[in-house]
Amino acid sequence: CCPQMPLSDTTIRTAKPSEKTQKLFDGGGLYLEVAPTGGKWWRLKYRFGGKEKRISLGVYPDVSLKDARDRRDNARKLLANVIDPGENRKVQKSAKAERAANSFETVAREWFAKHSPGWAVSHADKIIKRLENDVFPWIGGKPIAEITAPVLLTVLRRIESRGALDTAHRAQQNCGQVFRYAVATGRAERDPS
């Protein structure tokens, strides 16, 4: 038949659902899948290791035509370097989940749960409140292995700036205990405190 014309925003916007799933092709393996329910998904069809594969590149209109083309081009660069874009995505997702599982707050709460049963209730309350109020908001979500001494110092200086020198000193001690726990459990290389 005739060569396929690249998609336009108008074509995508006006695409109506039908009884069967439709595929509107753009080029380079990129196409828009229009479901009978009206949903529109960007897909990329590619070959890797002699097998045909496909991955989702997002939902239209959240992912525009330009964004979908950029994602296709990035996937094709991976393919040019003999990297399967689908497998690469799984590895990235897994690494992100692992970093989240090893955030400062997650490790600190684990350390707290392990040690607090041996402490007086008032002492345990002061420690967890200090961490929740003065430390977690600034570094709680960061991977514990990536927190450096200057980053921790910034948190402590923030506490000192309001005149709470004793609180800053105790927060530093608590953070040191958390970092040493992280080192002992293999989730950090060193204690930056």
Side-chain angles (χ1 to χ4, degrees), residues 49-103:
K51 293 187 176 128
E52 186 175 289
K53 297 183 167 196
R54 61 182 212 151
I55 56 172
S56 172
L57 299 179
V59 178
Y60 180 85
D62 298 342
V63 176
S64 68
L65 175 58
K66 181 190 178 311
D67 291 340
R69 286 176 175 160
D70 289 345
R71 291 177 184 193
R72 171 201 59 201
D73 294 344
N74 290 336
R76 292 183 70 80
K77 283 177 191 160
L78 290 172
L79 285 166
N81 289 310
V82 197
I83 298 170
D84 181 343
E87 288 302 313
N88 184 57
R89 180 181 286 172
K90 287 178 192 166
V91 168
Q92 298 293 333
K93 196 174 182 180
S94 167
K96 188 176 179 183
E98 188 176 319
R99 282 196 303 276
N102 292 322
S103 71

Side-chain angles (χ1 to χ4, degrees), residues 18 23 41 52 60 74 117 120 127 132 136 153 180:
S18 62
K23 292 179 181 177
W41 288 271
E52 186 175 289
Y60 180 85
N74 290 336
I127 289 175
E132 288 174 345
F136 294 164
L153 184 60
R180 287 188 293 281

Side-chain angles (χ1 to χ4, degrees), residues 104-105 130-143 147 151-162 171 175:
F104 181 85
E105 183 171 353
R130 187 178 307 126
L131 290 170
E132 288 174 345
N133 295 335
D134 295 318
V135 181
F136 294 164
W138 317 114
I139 61 171
K142 290 186 187 304
I147 298 172
V151 170
L152 182 59
L153 184 60
T154 303
V155 173
L156 299 173
R157 290 260 160 87
R158 185 175 269 123
I159 301 167
E160 287 175 353
S161 70
R162 63 173 203 256
C175 289

